Amino acid sequence: MKFTLKDYQRDAVRDSLNNLGKARRLWHSEADRTAFSLTAVTGAGKTVMAAATFEALFHGDDEFSFDADAGAVVIWFSDDPSLNEQTRFRFIEASDRINYTDLVVIENTFNRAKFQAGKIYFLNTQKLSKNSLLVRGHDPEEMAAKVDGTFPDMRPDLRAYTIWDTIQNTIEDPDLTLYLVLDEAHRGMGKQTAASQNDRNTIVQRLINGVGSVPGIPAVWGISATVERFNKAIESAGKHIKLPNVEVDASKVQESGLIKDTILLDIPDNVGDFDTVLVRRATDKLKESTAAWAAYSKQQQEAHVVVPLMVLQVPNTPDPDEIGRALDTIFERYPELPSASVAHVFGDHTTQRFGNRDVPYIEPQRVEESTWVRVLIAKDAISTGWDCPRAEVMVSFRAAKDKTHITQLLGRLVRSPLARRIPGNDRLNAVDCLLPKFNRKAVEQVVDELTTGSEAATPGRVLIDYIEVVPNPAVSPAVWDAFEALPSQTRPQRGAKPAVRLTALAHELASDDILPGAGRLAHAEMHAALDKFQADNAAKIKDKRQSVLVVDGKTVKADMLGKGRSLEQFWEDADLAVIDDAYRRAARIISPAIAHSYVDHLASQEADRDDDPEAFLDAIVEARVTVAGLGLVMEAQAYFDAEADKLAKAWLSKYREQIKALSDDRRESYRQIIEMSTEPQDAGLLKPEARYEATKANENGKVRVFPVWDSHLLCDQAGKYPADMNDWERTVVETESARPGFLSWYRNPQQPGQSSLGIAYQEAGQYKILRPDFIFFAEQDGQVVADIVDPHGLHLADALPKLQGLAMYAEKQAGAYRRIESVAEVKDKLRVLDLTKPEVRQAITDATETAGLFSSILADDY
């Protein structure tokens, strides 16, 4: 892959490959058909995950311990040719092992007996409709009529095979495995009734379940943000074994930074026609976004400058004059905008007249790369499958009843332009949506759908009444230094391999000239570690080498006269194929790259490559046998992983300051490497530059204004910080603010980001992230000290795991804080546990419930 997969993407690829491997085995051994789904929120990178999966399916992958399927054939099916084209482009962009020729768009001229192994074929609904040249002569109704002699052969001239023939022949070939991938799998999976049946539904059902003599496709993989309909359709049909569905945790996607943290919704304050007012406001936001991205690119010396885009979403039957007035308003407000910077994506693909302006058509998949487009006019056709991360502002002229269309399109606008979070800058991590035709009640319904609905577009924040807060000028640099020194923790990654982490770190250090030749140095260190392991385990490795070189087995001898049987042992020397297989399994333990260089290292000790090439080749074979034997020693993996982890940690510590001085983009690479661990890792906080905060809430139709507070690290122009707090939280802030030496406080964001303190904890075997509510700063003995005070609800199911995670963090990071306290209400009284005390931490570790801890003598009144 050209892209480094995020941890949740690796997990999804691993689980998908496990399913595909099982599907292949069940089909070829039992003729059982299988199906499963992959569900992930919009922006999670489903296409990238699919590309990585196909790489492994066609070519094998040591990281995922997956062997290639030499007979794999993939059909990628959607109902939109332009979406297929965009997917094909993304595969080429993401993969370095899937070639352009491996991606075949099936046109009407396609005519093959079978699909070719190792290729992905792109199909869409139109190509399988009744009128398509690809299917004429193979419709089940037509075939039945032909049997009666009442229907002529409609197969086009010179076409030997319909697409259904090709599918059937491929399925029936024992050397091939046909996999069907349904993109946006929720579409076309509606109820199959006489009243509601449509062409797309029929086609999809035929592909999955079979029709006439054509059997159902053996392995079906549905991909979508919402796969409930697909899953139900598979289960109700009852023709496929249901494999475990792959579900991507939305919180992990949010943590990755691939999608925006915040959606800002603007609506008119009063009832009336405020189109022009909000269009002007949207234009201002476009200008601000353009200036902010230009400044950021200049500061970071980014080669790629983000050019923000505004989307004007209009009704299905728009008023051209209304659109023309909106465009006039935009150009009056933003005169620097070139006149030829508007395009549309209407279905008729012709130039449109809006007011006194002629606006050309552009294909949706070309908008992202066409930076001359600054204003895009769209209906709802791009709400599914469209990908344009530089779309930063949307104005929707759709009416309040069109909530679903707006929600769907917003789901396409939340992608981060640089595929990463901009540290500490909410302005660049937000998308603006202005709704002139909406009232507050309708907007709140959009918010509910965006955050909690069945087709939720984003797991991030959605704000209606908001302000921007920035670093408080009254806060001293010493406090900010103390803030940035606090250790935040990363979420561990399932299946992370220390050797892969070390190799990636070495590559980055060498690329940034921090440690020239880091890759060579890393391999040399690992070679030395393996040499030591060999010396310490010589006898074991010798035995294992012998098991690699000799294949043993048993022969069954049957006495046909006496009806008896006997077993005879046999031994045969292993051939190169057996040795290669054993070596490949060992290489997965120590990583293929290090295994390869270690073989060279061992061979060079036995023979000279230049003086005697033949002897060197023999030494290579011997070295591969040694590595294969080494990999069979039970203790090898734990030892090697520990050595690789130790070196990576040493380098990260040694070069911390040089890494910190790099650009955001380069630091992000190292942040991802730090996270490549099966244990929580420490990562420093970053000072936030800007953040949006809500100022009001609507409760039962009444607007409640949040109180404002002093001395927060972030504030508005008046030095105030808006915060909605319950009674506990208010008591904590007031109590801590009144303590001697108090300087300032921080409401720790509950959303991921490098300005939010995170603490890892385990629940039901899965790592999650706790974000304590408050951090307080005070002066003590001339030094700035930090306190964590976390109001803790006892009624929630995760109360004890979170408290145990906080206790583990307190034990590890005691030196970073003056106090780490958890506060809870017991019998109408606030009680506090001091987690800096060893006896409190031990009691928390041993506890089976939370309430008793706060009622015990270990707790004090707060």
Side-chain angles (χ1 to χ4, degrees):
M1 289 291 289
K2 298 173 186 174
F3 299 153
T4 300
L5 296 179
K6 306 291 184 182
D7 66 314
Y8 70 83
Q9 292 174 333
R10 279 197 298 273
D11 289 346
V13 171
R14 183 182 294 107
D15 292 341
S16 297
L17 286 171
N18 287 340
N19 279 348
L20 293 179
K22 190 178 295 183
R24 176 180 61 196
R25 292 192 297 273
L26 287 171
W27 173 247
H28 289 292
S29 63
E30 306 291 339
D32 287 329
R33 298 199 292 274
T34 53
F36 72 100
S37 61
L38 166 65
T39 178
V41 296
T42 301
K46 292 185 283 290
T47 309
V48 171
M49 290 184 260
T53 303
F54 295 147
E55 275 196 352
L57 183 67
F58 293 148
H59 303 285
D61 193 286
D62 290 319
E63 179 183 352
F64 298 116
S65 299
F66 188 86
D67 295 323
D69 179 358
V73 177
V74 173
I75 294 177
W76 183 278
F77 185 88
S78 83
D79 64 352
D80 187 346
S82 63
L83 179 55
N84 273 354
E85 186 60 25
Q86 181 169 283
T87 300
R88 194 168 68 99
F89 173 78
R90 288 288 285 165
F91 283 167
I92 295 169
E93 184 182 41
S95 174
D96 51 10
R97 292 196 289 174
I98 298 175
N99 299 320
Y100 180 82
T101 54
D102 297 331
L103 306 172
V104 181
V105 178
I106 295 181
E107 303 290 0
N108 286 328
T109 55
F110 186 84
N111 187 18
R112 291 187 64 92
K114 300 176 201 172
F115 293 124
Q116 287 181 274
K119 295 190 182 297
I120 301 171
Y121 292 89
F122 291 88
L123 256 179
N124 59 70
T125 308
Q126 295 87 336
K127 293 292 184 356
L128 292 181
S129 64
K130 289 183 178 181
N131 296 324
S132 169
L133 294 177
L134 287 173
V135 304
R136 283 175 59 186
H138 206 292
D139 186 276
E141 295 177 4
E142 294 177 4
M143 296 296 287
K146 281 198 297 184
V147 171
D148 297 336
T150 60
F151 207 93
D153 190 342
M154 297 297 293
R155 193 171 301 212
D157 293 342
L158 303 180
R159 182 176 297 280
Y161 308 97
T162 71
I163 191 67
W164 290 108
D165 292 328
T166 308
I167 291 172
Q168 180 173 352
N169 294 338
T170 304
I171 293 172
E172 293 175 350
D173 188 327
D175 295 326
L176 298 175
T177 312
L178 184 58
Y179 302 89
L180 171 67
V181 182
L182 293 174
D183 191 14
E184 303 293 347
H186 63 289
R187 298 170 67 91
M189 303 305 296
K191 294 180 180 178
Q192 294 298 290
T193 65
S196 65
Q197 197 175 54
N198 60 45
D199 198 35
R200 208 267 183 184
N201 291 350
T202 305
I203 289 168
V204 173
Q205 296 289 347
R206 287 177 179 179
L207 285 170
I208 294 175
N209 299 320
V211 59
S213 63
V214 182
I217 291 180
V220 180
W221 182 15
I223 300 179
S224 177
T226 52
V227 292
E228 288 84 359
R229 279 190 227 160
F230 168 81
N231 291 334
K232 287 179 181 177
I234 292 293
E235 290 168 6
S236 62
K239 295 187 176 183
H240 291 71
I241 294 175
K242 197 73 170 58
L243 299 179
N245 292 329
V246 181
E247 298 181 7
V248 173
D249 186 340
S251 65
K252 291 185 178 181
V253 181
Q254 193 72 53
E255 286 175 17
S256 74
L258 283 181
I259 60 178
K260 299 271 193 176
D261 292 328
T262 307
I263 293 178
L264 304 174
L265 297 181
D266 282 38
I267 56 174
D269 289 330
N270 304 300
V271 178
D273 190 354
F274 293 94
D275 296 11
T276 305
V277 173
L278 287 192
V279 169
R280 283 203 302 268
R281 181 170 170 79
T283 307
D284 290 342
K285 287 178 176 287
L286 180 65
K287 291 172 65 175
E288 292 166 7
S289 178
T290 303
W293 277 114
Y296 179 77
S297 299
K298 183 177 180 180
Q299 174 204 351
Q300 297 292 317
Q301 298 180 336
E302 287 270 2
H304 172 65
V305 179
V306 175
V307 182
L309 173 80
M310 176 196 292
V311 177
L312 288 181
Q313 187 188 33
V314 299
N316 288 343
T317 54
D319 179 350
D321 292 332
E322 182 182 39
I323 299 174
R325 286 193 297 272
L327 292 176
D328 289 342
T329 301
I330 292 170
F331 284 101
E332 287 169 8
R333 195 74 172 184
Y334 197 170
E336 299 87 354
L337 209 60
S339 58
S341 60
V342 185
H344 75 85
V345 286
F346 290 1
D348 55 11
H349 298 188
T350 60
T351 296
Q352 300 284 313
R353 182 80 174 176
F354 301 124
N356 61 354
R357 300 174 188 274
D358 290 323
V359 176
Y361 167 80
I362 186 171
E363 295 174 324
Q365 67 268 21
R366 290 183 47 231
V367 175
E368 171 66 12
E369 65 189 43
S370 304
T371 54
W372 61 269
V373 180
R374 302 298 310 282
V375 179
L376 183 70
I377 305 169
K379 297 179 184 178
D380 59 2
I382 60 174
S383 61
T384 299
W386 183 60
D387 189 2
C388 187
R390 66 185 184 90
E392 298 262 304
V393 181
M394 181 177 87
V395 182
S396 179
F397 290 117
R398 299 191 80 104
K401 60 183 173 58
D402 289 336
K403 293 183 291 293
T404 300
H405 293 301
I406 292 170
T407 302
Q408 288 175 342
L409 182 54
L410 270 172
R412 315 309 305 183
L413 304 185
V414 295
R415 289 169 170 81
S416 299
L418 298 180
R420 60 176 171 83
R421 177 178 288 105
I422 307 304
N425 193 329
D426 237 17
R427 168 66 270 170
L428 300 183
N429 294 321
V431 61
D432 290 282
C433 177
L434 297 93
L435 305 171
K437 307 287 188 182
F438 272 56
N439 55 33
R440 177 172 289 275
K441 184 177 180 180
V443 169
E444 287 167 355
Q445 291 174 340
V446 170
V447 172
D448 289 341
E449 188 65 25
L450 283 168
T451 54
T452 62
S454 61
E455 299 192 15
T458 172
R461 297 189 304 162
V462 183
L463 303 179
I464 304 175
D465 299 294
Y466 57 88
I467 61 168
E468 185 179 47
V469 290
V470 296
N472 191 333
V475 173
S476 70
V479 171
W480 283 116
D481 289 343
F483 173 86
E484 291 189 291
L486 297 178
S488 186
Q489 290 186 326
T490 64
R491 188 201 301 253
Q493 297 181 4
R494 177 168 68 100
K497 296 185 177 181
V500 174
R501 182 187 189 213
L502 174 62
T503 303
L505 175 60
H507 174 77
E508 303 299 344
L509 290 172
S511 297
D512 292 318
D513 290 327
I514 293 175
L515 181 61
R520 175 178 46 80
L521 294 172
H523 280 234
E525 291 278 355
M526 291 301 98
H527 296 167
L530 290 170
D531 286 344
K532 183 178 185 303
F533 184 81
Q534 278 206 76
D536 294 343
N537 298 272
K540 289 181 182 178
I541 293 173
K542 183 179 179 181
D543 290 342
K544 298 299 182 184
R545 279 183 98 262
Q546 190 62 25
S547 70
V548 172
L549 288 169
V550 177
V551 177
D552 62 342
K554 291 182 173 63
T555 300
V556 179
K557 294 186 68 175
D559 183 351
M560 301 302 293
L561 186 62
K563 305 298 183 183
R565 290 188 305 172
S566 62
L567 296 176
E568 289 189 1
Q569 192 86 13
F570 70 84
W571 291 268
E572 294 286 348
D573 290 341
D575 58 18
L576 284 177
V578 173
I579 293 172
D580 285 346
D581 186 60
Y583 166 77
R584 191 171 67 253
R585 289 197 300 270
R588 287 173 175 170
I589 293 175
I590 62 178
S591 91
I594 293 177
H596 180 78
S597 64
Y598 189 55
V599 164
D600 273 357
H601 165 75
L602 293 176
S604 298
Q605 294 176 338
E606 300 298 325
D608 188 284
R609 186 192 306 261
D610 297 323
D611 288 353
D612 192 344
E614 197 168 311
F616 184 76
L617 289 175
D618 291 339
I620 287 284
V621 175
E622 285 296 307
R624 288 168 72 88
V625 173
T626 298
V627 170
L630 188 152
L632 294 173
V633 177
M634 187 179 299
E635 301 85 358
Q637 180 147 17
Y639 169 84
F640 184 78
D641 286 350
E643 291 297 312
D645 188 54
K646 183 168 67 176
L647 181 57
K649 286 179 177 176
W651 280 357
L652 285 168
S653 176
K654 182 176 182 179
Y655 301 111
R656 179 181 290 112
E657 292 305 315
Q658 286 152 281
I659 293 171
K660 193 175 179 181
L662 296 171
S663 68
D664 288 350
D665 180 50
R666 298 303 306 135
R667 284 205 310 269
E668 174 67 13
S669 298
Y670 290 96
R671 188 188 66 79
Q672 292 184 33
I673 289 169
I674 290 171
E675 292 179 348
M676 292 169 62
S677 173
T678 55
E679 297 295 328
Q681 300 293 302
D682 293 339
L685 291 174
L686 287 178
K687 178 181 178 180
E689 297 177 20
R691 182 169 173 81
Y692 292 106
E693 294 292 0
T695 61
K696 301 175 185 177
N698 191 299
E699 297 174 352
N700 300 320
K702 294 183 179 180
V703 176
R704 180 171 58 83
V705 178
F706 296 162
V708 294
W709 303 80
D710 294 318
S711 304
H712 193 271
L713 293 187
L714 301 172
C715 68
D716 62 13
Q717 293 180 343
K720 305 292 184 179
Y721 178 79
D724 186 27
M725 300 190 199
N726 58 32
D727 291 341
W728 300 6
E729 294 167 334
R730 189 177 298 109
T731 299
V732 166
V733 172
E734 290 171 350
T735 301
E736 297 300 325
S737 300
R739 293 188 188 277
F742 168 79
L743 294 172
S744 54
W745 65 289
Y746 186 63
R747 182 78 178 267
N748 192 42
Q750 295 305 295
Q751 296 75 36
Q754 288 163 272
S755 300
S756 175
L757 178 69
I759 296 171
Y761 72 97
Q762 277 189 295
E763 182 182 13
Q766 296 291 320
Y767 271 104
K768 299 182 179 180
I769 295 294
L770 155 71
R771 300 186 187 277
D773 281 347
F774 300 116
I775 306 171
F776 296 92
F777 296 90
E779 185 175 359
Q780 180 175 296
D781 301 328
Q783 299 291 322
V784 175
V785 293
D787 302 325
I788 288 178
V789 183
D790 186 35
H792 197 82
L794 304 182
H795 61 289
L796 299 174
D798 60 359
L800 182 59
K802 283 183 175 179
L803 189 59
Q804 290 172 334
L806 187 59
M808 291 180 64
Y809 177 81
E811 181 173 7
K812 183 179 179 183
Q813 305 294 352
Y817 298 91
R818 179 180 63 174
R819 295 157 51 221
I820 299 179
E821 296 182 345
S822 182
V823 178
E825 185 178 51
V826 179
K827 296 180 179 178
D828 298 326
K829 182 179 289 188
L830 288 184
R831 302 273 287 172
V832 59
L833 288 171
D834 182 355
L835 276 64
T836 62
K837 295 179 178 179
E839 63 272 22
V840 173
R841 294 197 299 269
Q842 187 61 51
I844 292 171
T845 301
D846 298 338
T848 57
E849 55 87 29
T850 315
L853 292 167
F854 288 92
S855 302
S856 71
I857 59 173
L858 293 170
D860 296 312
D861 289 340
Y862 183 71

